[in-house]
Amino acid sequence: MSIKEFDSNYIANTYARFPLVLKEGSGSLVKDENGKEYIDMATGIAVNTFGYSDEEWTKAVSEQLFKLQHTSNLYYSEPCAMLAKALCEKTGMKKVFFSNSGAEANECAIKVARKYAAQKKGSDYHKIITLKNSFHGRTITTLAATGQDVFHKDFLPLTDGFLYVEANNIADLEEKINTNKVAAIMFEVVQGEGGVLPLQKDFIDYIKKISFEKDIITIADEVQCGNGRTGKLYGYMNYDIMPDIVSTAKGLGGGLPIGATLLSDKTKDVFAVSDHGSTFGGNPVCCAGALNIINRLDDNLLDEVKEKSKYIINELTNSKGIKNVTGLGLMLGIETENDASEVINNCIENGVLVIKAKSKVRLLPALNIPWDLLKKAVEIIKSACC
Ligand SMILES: *Cc1c(COP(=O)(O)O)cnc(C)c1O
């Protein structure tokens, strides 16, 4: 049997895979089982921040692997302490809880917000506002947080207490806050799965104002838009806001599973011993990899992200077959005249991996993609859109 046949026989039917078996990669290039090479403009959904088998990252990870691959959270270990310190120093947040995925980082954020509100205002203040068209994960609670019915059906009842506001609709948000006992507002500053849509500044300004006035916890879901992706270390840094909680994952680990929930001065001491935990959370190998990633997201690299973003947007906007380009930094969505799936398949045939977000073609290249590969990929994408 082929790998594809083994997979369809033995893997649960949850993924619509492209007909490719990926085998090995280097930087922004990856090869399939037949040796065909692709420029990777998707990085495993914004995970491989510096591409495949990046030398520095691989070294950091493998050195740690030879020392200590795991220890329970009953003991201290260096990599998670140093990663937490780096994350706090670079963001101004004060403490970190480590987990293993985006959904878990959001679960933690929701627990902190609920406990904060219960202690401060009473346990009836437990409603969490999220946005329509958002994506926050696949667990029963983060599905409830996800403001898209298509993900909910078949899994009801979900965790209670979530309210959905239309993105960028200030009146809707105001009305929901005034008529409910709200603990938190949770949002992606750039909705990823929802179609690569940045929130409008006036909407975020309003979130900032109302959450200050009413002592409502703000949770920035930076799972996809964080870790340098938008040209800032975290997506919220493109706006004048300091969230009370930041959740992140995907690109943080550079390819290894890690989730992190960053807590501000206001939320850092909400949890007490045994309020939360994770067996694998803070894994030393994952943290060593993440520390390497975080330390490399400096101003030079972020400027390069912005320059590459400008280049892609300039090249694709008004190009034949393209209606518009949305997003921030190297998190971009292309609305195409032809069906996005056809465009994507055409790109793949011509050696470029891109993925979908709703009805758009989504680009999430490695932050350090070399200019020559980026230019080549953009040309192939342009012709695939015609
Ligand atoms: C991918 C994603 C998640 C879920 O992350 P997992 O690691 O798959 O659990 C949550 N929020 C956002 C914004 C995401 O893009």
Short mmCIF file of all heavy atoms in Angstrom, two decimals, residues 283-333:
data_model
loop_
_atom_site.label_atom_id
_atom_site.label_comp_id
_atom_site.label_asym_id
_atom_site.label_seq_id
_atom_site.Cartn_x
_atom_site.Cartn_y
_atom_site.Cartn_z
N ASN A 283 7.63 21.97 27.98
CA ASN A 283 8.60 20.94 27.59
C ASN A 283 9.94 21.58 27.21
O ASN A 283 9.99 22.52 26.42
CB ASN A 283 8.05 20.12 26.42
CG ASN A 283 9.08 19.16 25.88
OD1 ASN A 283 9.89 19.53 25.04
ND2 ASN A 283 9.06 17.95 26.39
N PRO A 284 11.05 21.08 27.77
CA PRO A 284 12.35 21.74 27.56
C PRO A 284 12.80 21.79 26.10
O PRO A 284 13.41 22.80 25.69
CB PRO A 284 13.33 20.90 28.39
CG PRO A 284 12.56 19.85 29.09
CD PRO A 284 11.11 19.96 28.73
N VAL A 285 12.49 20.77 25.32
CA VAL A 285 12.91 20.78 23.91
C VAL A 285 12.11 21.83 23.13
O VAL A 285 12.68 22.64 22.38
CB VAL A 285 12.75 19.38 23.27
CG1 VAL A 285 13.15 19.40 21.81
CG2 VAL A 285 13.57 18.34 24.05
N CYS A 286 10.81 21.84 23.34
CA CYS A 286 9.96 22.83 22.66
C CYS A 286 10.36 24.25 23.08
O CYS A 286 10.41 25.16 22.26
CB CYS A 286 8.49 22.60 23.00
SG CYS A 286 7.88 20.99 22.47
N CYS A 287 10.62 24.42 24.37
CA CYS A 287 10.99 25.76 24.87
C CYS A 287 12.35 26.20 24.34
O CYS A 287 12.54 27.38 24.03
CB CYS A 287 10.98 25.79 26.40
SG CYS A 287 9.31 25.77 27.08
N ALA A 288 13.29 25.28 24.21
CA ALA A 288 14.61 25.64 23.67
C ALA A 288 14.45 26.11 22.22
O ALA A 288 15.07 27.09 21.80
CB ALA A 288 15.56 24.45 23.76
N GLY A 289 13.60 25.42 21.46
CA GLY A 289 13.33 25.84 20.07
C GLY A 289 12.66 27.20 20.04
O GLY A 289 13.04 28.08 19.27
N ALA A 290 11.65 27.37 20.90
CA ALA A 290 10.90 28.64 20.92
C ALA A 290 11.79 29.80 21.34
O ALA A 290 11.67 30.91 20.80
CB ALA A 290 9.70 28.52 21.86
N LEU A 291 12.68 29.57 22.28
CA LEU A 291 13.58 30.64 22.72
C LEU A 291 14.46 31.11 21.56
O LEU A 291 14.71 32.31 21.38
CB LEU A 291 14.44 30.17 23.90
CG LEU A 291 15.35 31.22 24.54
CD1 LEU A 291 14.54 32.42 25.04
CD2 LEU A 291 16.15 30.61 25.70
N ASN A 292 14.92 30.15 20.76
CA ASN A 292 15.71 30.51 19.59
C ASN A 292 14.90 31.38 18.63
O ASN A 292 15.38 32.38 18.11
CB ASN A 292 16.21 29.24 18.89
CG ASN A 292 16.95 29.56 17.61
OD1 ASN A 292 16.35 29.55 16.53
ND2 ASN A 292 18.22 29.90 17.73
N ILE A 293 13.63 31.00 18.43
CA ILE A 293 12.76 31.76 17.53
C ILE A 293 12.56 33.18 18.07
O ILE A 293 12.77 34.17 17.35
CB ILE A 293 11.38 31.07 17.38
CG1 ILE A 293 11.51 29.66 16.80
CG2 ILE A 293 10.40 31.93 16.58
CD1 ILE A 293 11.88 29.59 15.36
N ILE A 294 12.15 33.27 19.32
CA ILE A 294 11.83 34.58 19.92
C ILE A 294 13.04 35.51 19.88
O ILE A 294 12.92 36.70 19.57
CB ILE A 294 11.30 34.37 21.36
CG1 ILE A 294 9.85 33.90 21.32
CG2 ILE A 294 11.40 35.63 22.22
CD1 ILE A 294 8.89 34.89 20.68
N ASN A 295 14.21 34.97 20.17
CA ASN A 295 15.42 35.81 20.19
C ASN A 295 15.79 36.33 18.81
O ASN A 295 16.52 37.32 18.69
CB ASN A 295 16.60 35.04 20.79
CG ASN A 295 16.50 34.97 22.30
OD1 ASN A 295 15.84 35.79 22.92
ND2 ASN A 295 17.13 33.96 22.90
N ARG A 296 15.33 35.66 17.77
CA ARG A 296 15.67 36.09 16.42
C ARG A 296 14.65 37.04 15.79
O ARG A 296 14.87 37.57 14.71
CB ARG A 296 15.85 34.85 15.52
CG ARG A 296 17.10 34.06 15.92
CD ARG A 296 17.05 32.66 15.39
NE ARG A 296 17.21 32.60 13.94
CZ ARG A 296 17.03 31.47 13.25
NH1 ARG A 296 16.69 30.35 13.88
NH2 ARG A 296 17.20 31.47 11.95
N LEU A 297 13.53 37.24 16.46
CA LEU A 297 12.51 38.15 15.92
C LEU A 297 12.86 39.59 16.31
O LEU A 297 12.13 40.25 17.03
CB LEU A 297 11.11 37.75 16.44
CG LEU A 297 10.66 36.33 16.05
CD1 LEU A 297 9.30 36.02 16.68
CD2 LEU A 297 10.58 36.17 14.53
N ASP A 298 14.00 40.06 15.80
CA ASP A 298 14.46 41.41 16.15
C ASP A 298 13.97 42.42 15.11
O ASP A 298 13.28 42.07 14.15
CB ASP A 298 15.99 41.42 16.28
CG ASP A 298 16.68 40.94 15.01
OD1 ASP A 298 16.01 40.88 13.93
OD2 ASP A 298 17.88 40.62 15.06
N ASP A 299 14.34 43.68 15.32
CA ASP A 299 13.84 44.74 14.44
C ASP A 299 14.23 44.53 12.97
O ASP A 299 13.44 44.82 12.07
CB ASP A 299 14.33 46.11 14.92
CG ASP A 299 13.61 46.54 16.20
OD1 ASP A 299 12.56 45.93 16.50
OD2 ASP A 299 14.10 47.45 16.88
N ASN A 300 15.45 44.04 12.73
CA ASN A 300 15.88 43.80 11.34
C ASN A 300 14.97 42.80 10.65
O ASN A 300 14.53 43.00 9.52
CB ASN A 300 17.31 43.25 11.31
CG ASN A 300 18.32 44.35 11.56
OD1 ASN A 300 18.00 45.53 11.38
ND2 ASN A 300 19.53 43.96 11.96
N LEU A 301 14.71 41.70 11.37
CA LEU A 301 13.88 40.65 10.79
C LEU A 301 12.45 41.17 10.56
O LEU A 301 11.86 40.94 9.50
CB LEU A 301 13.89 39.44 11.75
CG LEU A 301 13.35 38.08 11.33
CD1 LEU A 301 11.87 37.94 11.54
CD2 LEU A 301 13.73 37.68 9.90
N LEU A 302 11.94 41.92 11.54
CA LEU A 302 10.57 42.44 11.42
C LEU A 302 10.47 43.46 10.29
O LEU A 302 9.47 43.49 9.56
CB LEU A 302 10.10 43.03 12.76
CG LEU A 302 9.99 42.00 13.91
CD1 LEU A 302 9.65 42.69 15.22
CD2 LEU A 302 8.97 40.91 13.61
N ASP A 303 11.52 44.27 10.10
CA ASP A 303 11.52 45.20 8.97
C ASP A 303 11.49 44.45 7.64
O ASP A 303 10.83 44.86 6.68
CB ASP A 303 12.78 46.10 9.01
CG ASP A 303 12.66 47.17 10.08
OD1 ASP A 303 11.53 47.39 10.57
OD2 ASP A 303 13.69 47.76 10.45
N GLU A 304 12.21 43.34 7.61
CA GLU A 304 12.23 42.53 6.40
C GLU A 304 10.84 41.94 6.11
O GLU A 304 10.41 41.89 4.96
CB GLU A 304 13.24 41.39 6.60
CG GLU A 304 13.93 40.95 5.33
CD GLU A 304 14.93 39.85 5.64
OE1 GLU A 304 16.01 40.14 6.21
OE2 GLU A 304 14.60 38.68 5.34
N VAL A 305 10.16 41.53 7.19
CA VAL A 305 8.79 41.02 7.03
C VAL A 305 7.92 42.09 6.39
O VAL A 305 7.16 41.83 5.44
CB VAL A 305 8.21 40.58 8.40
CG1 VAL A 305 6.71 40.31 8.30
CG2 VAL A 305 8.95 39.34 8.92
N LYS A 306 8.04 43.33 6.89
CA LYS A 306 7.22 44.42 6.35
C LYS A 306 7.56 44.71 4.88
O LYS A 306 6.67 44.94 4.06
CB LYS A 306 7.42 45.69 7.19
CG LYS A 306 6.67 45.64 8.53
CD LYS A 306 6.94 46.89 9.35
CE LYS A 306 7.45 46.50 10.72
NZ LYS A 306 8.10 47.56 11.47
N GLU A 307 8.85 44.67 4.56
CA GLU A 307 9.27 44.93 3.17
C GLU A 307 8.74 43.85 2.22
O GLU A 307 8.26 44.14 1.13
CB GLU A 307 10.79 44.90 3.09
CG GLU A 307 11.44 46.25 2.98
CD GLU A 307 12.94 46.09 2.86
OE1 GLU A 307 13.41 45.64 1.79
OE2 GLU A 307 13.63 46.37 3.86
N LYS A 308 8.85 42.60 2.67
CA LYS A 308 8.37 41.49 1.83
C LYS A 308 6.85 41.58 1.66
O LYS A 308 6.31 41.29 0.59
CB LYS A 308 8.77 40.15 2.44
CG LYS A 308 10.25 39.85 2.27
CD LYS A 308 10.68 38.64 3.08
CE LYS A 308 12.19 38.42 2.92
NZ LYS A 308 12.72 37.45 3.89
N SER A 309 6.18 41.98 2.73
CA SER A 309 4.73 42.15 2.68
C SER A 309 4.36 43.18 1.63
O SER A 309 3.48 42.96 0.79
CB SER A 309 4.23 42.58 4.05
OG SER A 309 2.85 42.85 4.02
N LYS A 310 5.05 44.33 1.67
CA LYS A 310 4.79 45.41 0.71
C LYS A 310 4.99 44.91 -0.72
O LYS A 310 4.20 45.19 -1.60
CB LYS A 310 5.75 46.58 0.98
CG LYS A 310 5.06 47.79 1.57
CD LYS A 310 6.01 48.97 1.55
CE LYS A 310 6.11 49.58 2.95
NZ LYS A 310 7.31 50.38 3.15
N TYR A 311 6.08 44.17 -0.89
CA TYR A 311 6.38 43.64 -2.23
C TYR A 311 5.23 42.76 -2.72
O TYR A 311 4.75 42.93 -3.85
CB TYR A 311 7.69 42.85 -2.20
CG TYR A 311 7.95 42.09 -3.46
CD1 TYR A 311 8.45 42.75 -4.59
CD2 TYR A 311 7.65 40.73 -3.56
CE1 TYR A 311 8.65 42.06 -5.78
CE2 TYR A 311 7.85 40.04 -4.75
CZ TYR A 311 8.35 40.71 -5.85
OH TYR A 311 8.54 40.03 -7.02
N ILE A 312 4.80 41.83 -1.88
CA ILE A 312 3.73 40.90 -2.30
C ILE A 312 2.46 41.68 -2.62
O ILE A 312 1.82 41.47 -3.66
CB ILE A 312 3.43 39.84 -1.21
CG1 ILE A 312 4.68 39.01 -0.90
CG2 ILE A 312 2.29 38.93 -1.65
CD1 ILE A 312 4.51 38.05 0.29
N ILE A 313 2.08 42.59 -1.72
CA ILE A 313 0.84 43.35 -1.92
C ILE A 313 0.92 44.18 -3.21
O ILE A 313 -0.02 44.18 -4.01
CB ILE A 313 0.54 44.24 -0.69
CG1 ILE A 313 0.24 43.36 0.54
CG2 ILE A 313 -0.64 45.18 -0.96
CD1 ILE A 313 0.20 44.11 1.86
N ASN A 314 2.07 44.85 -3.44
CA ASN A 314 2.24 45.63 -4.67
C ASN A 314 2.13 44.78 -5.91
O ASN A 314 1.49 45.18 -6.89
CB ASN A 314 3.62 46.32 -4.68
CG ASN A 314 3.59 47.61 -3.90
OD1 ASN A 314 2.52 48.17 -3.67
ND2 ASN A 314 4.76 48.05 -3.48
N GLU A 315 2.76 43.62 -5.87
CA GLU A 315 2.76 42.75 -7.05
C GLU A 315 1.37 42.20 -7.34
O GLU A 315 0.98 42.06 -8.50
CB GLU A 315 3.74 41.59 -6.84
CG GLU A 315 5.19 41.96 -6.94
CD GLU A 315 5.60 42.34 -8.36
OE1 GLU A 315 5.22 41.62 -9.30
OE2 GLU A 315 6.29 43.37 -8.51
N LEU A 316 0.64 41.83 -6.28
CA LEU A 316 -0.63 41.11 -6.49
C LEU A 316 -1.83 42.04 -6.67
O LEU A 316 -2.78 41.68 -7.38
CB LEU A 316 -0.89 40.14 -5.34
CG LEU A 316 0.13 39.00 -5.16
CD1 LEU A 316 -0.32 38.07 -4.06
CD2 LEU A 316 0.34 38.22 -6.47
N THR A 317 -1.78 43.22 -6.02
CA THR A 317 -2.92 44.13 -6.13
C THR A 317 -3.02 44.59 -7.59
O THR A 317 -2.02 44.95 -8.20
CB THR A 317 -2.75 45.34 -5.19
OG1 THR A 317 -2.53 44.83 -3.87
CG2 THR A 317 -3.99 46.22 -5.18
N ASN A 318 -4.23 44.54 -8.13
CA ASN A 318 -4.51 44.91 -9.53
C ASN A 318 -3.88 43.96 -10.55
O ASN A 318 -3.87 44.25 -11.74
CB ASN A 318 -4.05 46.34 -9.84
CG ASN A 318 -4.73 47.34 -8.93
OD1 ASN A 318 -5.91 47.18 -8.62
ND2 ASN A 318 -3.99 48.34 -8.49
N SER A 319 -3.33 42.85 -10.11
CA SER A 319 -2.85 41.87 -11.07
C SER A 319 -4.06 41.11 -11.62
O SER A 319 -5.10 41.01 -10.95
CB SER A 319 -1.88 40.93 -10.36
OG SER A 319 -1.48 39.91 -11.25
N LYS A 320 -3.92 40.60 -12.83
CA LYS A 320 -5.05 39.95 -13.51
C LYS A 320 -5.60 38.78 -12.68
O LYS A 320 -4.84 37.95 -12.19
CB LYS A 320 -4.58 39.46 -14.88
CG LYS A 320 -5.70 39.13 -15.83
CD LYS A 320 -5.24 39.11 -17.28
CE LYS A 320 -6.32 38.52 -18.15
NZ LYS A 320 -6.13 37.08 -18.39
N GLY A 321 -6.93 38.76 -12.51
CA GLY A 321 -7.57 37.63 -11.81
C GLY A 321 -7.59 37.79 -10.30
O GLY A 321 -8.05 36.90 -9.58
N ILE A 322 -7.07 38.94 -9.80
CA ILE A 322 -7.05 39.16 -8.35
C ILE A 322 -7.94 40.33 -8.00
O ILE A 322 -7.80 41.43 -8.55
CB ILE A 322 -5.59 39.39 -7.86
CG1 ILE A 322 -4.80 38.09 -8.03
CG2 ILE A 322 -5.58 39.84 -6.39
CD1 ILE A 322 -3.33 38.19 -7.68
N LYS A 323 -8.89 40.09 -7.09
CA LYS A 323 -9.82 41.16 -6.70
C LYS A 323 -9.21 42.05 -5.64
O LYS A 323 -9.32 43.27 -5.70
CB LYS A 323 -11.11 40.55 -6.16
CG LYS A 323 -11.97 39.90 -7.24
CD LYS A 323 -13.30 39.47 -6.63
CE LYS A 323 -14.09 38.56 -7.56
NZ LYS A 323 -15.15 37.85 -6.86
N ASN A 324 -8.61 41.45 -4.62
CA ASN A 324 -7.96 42.26 -3.59
C ASN A 324 -7.05 41.39 -2.72
O ASN A 324 -7.11 40.16 -2.78
CB ASN A 324 -8.99 42.99 -2.70
CG ASN A 324 -9.91 42.01 -1.99
OD1 ASN A 324 -9.45 41.15 -1.22
ND2 ASN A 324 -11.20 42.11 -2.25
N VAL A 325 -6.22 42.07 -1.95
CA VAL A 325 -5.31 41.38 -1.02
C VAL A 325 -5.54 41.98 0.36
O VAL A 325 -5.53 43.21 0.51
CB VAL A 325 -3.83 41.58 -1.43
CG1 VAL A 325 -2.90 40.80 -0.51
CG2 VAL A 325 -3.61 41.16 -2.89
N THR A 326 -5.78 41.12 1.35
CA THR A 326 -5.97 41.60 2.72
C THR A 326 -4.92 41.00 3.64
O THR A 326 -4.23 40.06 3.27
CB THR A 326 -7.36 41.19 3.26
OG1 THR A 326 -7.46 39.77 3.22
CG2 THR A 326 -8.48 41.82 2.46
N GLY A 327 -4.81 41.56 4.84
CA GLY A 327 -3.92 40.99 5.84
C GLY A 327 -2.85 41.97 6.27
O GLY A 327 -2.87 43.15 5.92
N LEU A 328 -1.93 41.46 7.05
CA LEU A 328 -0.83 42.27 7.59
C LEU A 328 0.44 41.45 7.53
O LEU A 328 0.42 40.25 7.82
CB LEU A 328 -1.10 42.59 9.06
CG LEU A 328 -1.87 43.85 9.46
CD1 LEU A 328 -1.95 43.94 10.98
CD2 LEU A 328 -1.21 45.10 8.90
N GLY A 329 1.54 42.12 7.19
CA GLY A 329 2.83 41.43 7.19
C GLY A 329 2.83 40.23 6.25
O GLY A 329 2.34 40.31 5.12
N LEU A 330 3.33 39.12 6.74
CA LEU A 330 3.36 37.90 5.90
C LEU A 330 2.22 36.97 6.26
O LEU A 330 2.37 35.75 6.33
CB LEU A 330 4.73 37.23 6.01
CG LEU A 330 5.86 38.02 5.35
CD1 LEU A 330 7.21 37.36 5.54
CD2 LEU A 330 5.59 38.27 3.86
N MET A 331 1.08 37.57 6.51
CA MET A 331 -0.18 36.84 6.73
C MET A 331 -1.18 37.50 5.80
O MET A 331 -1.79 38.51 6.14
CB MET A 331 -0.59 37.01 8.20
CG MET A 331 -1.90 36.36 8.58
SD MET A 331 -2.15 36.53 10.37
CE MET A 331 -3.71 35.67 10.53
N LEU A 332 -1.28 36.96 4.56
CA LEU A 332 -2.04 37.65 3.52
C LEU A 332 -3.09 36.74 2.89
O LEU A 332 -2.89 35.53 2.78
CB LEU A 332 -1.08 38.16 2.44
CG LEU A 332 -0.06 39.23 2.91
CD1 LEU A 332 0.99 39.48 1.84
CD2 LEU A 332 -0.76 40.52 3.29
N GLY A 333 -4.21 37.35 2.52
CA GLY A 333 -5.29 36.63 1.86
C GLY A 333 -5.56 37.24 0.50
O GLY A 333 -5.64 38.47 0.39
#
